[in-house]
Amino acid sequence: MSGNKKMDALISMKAEIQAQKEGQEKIQKLCFENINIGQFTNETLKLLQKYNDLLCLEFNDCKLQSLDNLLGFANLTKLRLCNNNLDKNSLQHIIQYFPKVQYLDISGNKKISQDDLKVLVELKELQHLVINDKEIDRAKLFELIPQLNYIDHKDKTGNEIEDEENEDDDDEDDEEDDDEDEDEDDEDDDDDDEDEAEEAEESEDEQPVQKKKKL
């Protein structure tokens, strides 16, 4: 990758981090998409290592050729690497440097074969693997990696579960709905207050008239 492309990738990553930092006290997830990273340089590594407490890291459609130089993140439990150009060497890298990964998405990396996947048995905490390859023998893969509970969002009996990403989106939608309901309640309260104030004014206007009648 040329120097200009490396600089463009670094600038794009900085912009993404800044956008995702807003409103958060502690960053536990970083997601990068459609950035031509290719390979991790010393500059990109220094940028990322500021967030060593990450639990989730995503590089989707980033044209990654390898994971070399991507180190640290001892607490990482979720790693998404969709639609890149990674091979079996990247699996060894994940095993060595991200041993706590429970959710791994390597779908769209066509250089990784089913035979390559068997090394993931060394990821002792791996529970959910996403590969989205119709040629993969899921039953055999469950045998090869017995700690797995899910492959492509299905358990060993073929029952489908919600994608964790969709669950996150649903939670955000629920929060937005709650906020909207609260806003509507506030508006209703304001209308009630205005109605009460108008009734009070009308009552005051009627009082002098009633006194005159008594006289």
Side-chain angles (χ1 to χ4, degrees):
M1 185 186 295
S2 67
N4 288 338
K5 288 183 178 179
K6 289 180 181 178
M7 184 59 65
D8 290 343
L10 185 62
I11 291 171
S12 296
M13 289 176 69
K14 286 181 177 179
E16 281 293 335
I17 290 174
Q18 191 60 40
Q20 294 176 52
K21 279 173 62 177
E22 291 183 6
Q24 297 189 57
E25 294 182 2
K26 185 177 182 180
I27 302 296
Q28 293 189 316
K29 174 182 177 179
L30 283 177
C31 177
F32 303 95
E33 292 188 6
N34 298 311
I35 298 176
N36 188 6
I37 297 174
Q39 294 182 336
F40 294 102
T41 64
N42 291 333
E43 289 75 16
T44 53
L45 182 60
K46 287 178 183 178
L47 175 65
L48 292 170
Q49 283 184 334
K50 296 177 182 178
Y51 308 96
N52 249 344
D53 292 330
L54 289 178
L55 299 178
C56 176
L57 186 57
E58 303 185 9
F59 294 98
N60 304 318
D61 296 283
C62 290
K63 299 183 179 180
L64 292 178
Q65 304 291 332
S66 75
L67 299 180
D68 294 349
N69 294 329
L70 185 64
L71 309 174
F73 314 109
N75 299 319
L76 201 68
T77 59
K78 185 172 183 178
L79 183 60
R80 300 190 75 202
L81 303 164
C82 312
N83 303 322
N84 290 292
N85 299 308
L86 301 175
D87 58 19
K88 60 183 180 181
N89 293 324
S90 296
L91 300 182
Q92 292 290 355
H93 187 96
I94 293 169
I95 292 167
Q96 183 175 356
Y97 294 104
F98 311 123
K100 292 185 179 181
V101 165
Q102 300 173 10
Y103 182 107
L104 177 62
D105 188 341
I106 50 174
S107 57
N109 289 276
K110 297 180 180 180
K111 293 180 181 179
I112 297 176
S113 68
Q114 174 162 330
D115 191 54
D116 295 333
L117 294 172
K118 63 186 179 183
V119 299
L120 294 177
V121 69
E122 298 180 44
L123 276 180
K124 300 303 181 183
E125 298 188 35
L126 183 62
Q127 298 176 16
H128 194 151
L129 176 64
V130 182
I131 42 181
N132 289 333
D133 187 341
K134 294 180 180 179
E135 297 181 3
I136 293 292
D137 185 339
R138 294 176 62 257
K140 184 177 180 180
L141 202 54
F142 273 121
E143 291 180 6
L144 292 172
I145 312 172
Q147 68 269 34
L148 277 178
N149 293 325
Y150 306 102
I151 296 175
D152 295 338
H153 318 304
K154 292 183 179 180
D155 63 16
K156 295 178 182 180
T157 59
N159 293 320
E160 194 164 356
I161 63 164
E162 285 284 341
D163 185 359
E164 292 179 13
E165 289 299 306
N166 292 336
E167 288 178 3
D168 293 342
D169 292 341
D170 290 342
D171 291 341
E172 290 176 4
D173 291 340
D174 291 340
E175 290 176 2
E176 290 176 1
D177 291 340
D178 291 341
D179 291 340
E180 289 176 0
D181 291 340
E182 289 177 4
D183 291 341
E184 290 176 0
D185 290 340
D186 290 341
E187 290 176 2
D188 291 340
D189 291 341
D190 291 341
D191 292 340
D192 291 341
D193 292 341
E194 290 176 3
D195 291 341
E196 289 176 3
E198 289 176 0
E199 289 175 1
E201 290 177 2
E202 290 174 358
S203 298
E204 290 177 359
D205 293 340
E206 291 173 356
Q207 286 177 3
V209 175
Q210 292 173 352
K211 287 181 182 180
K212 288 179 181 178
K213 287 181 178 178
K214 287 181 181 180
L215 292 174

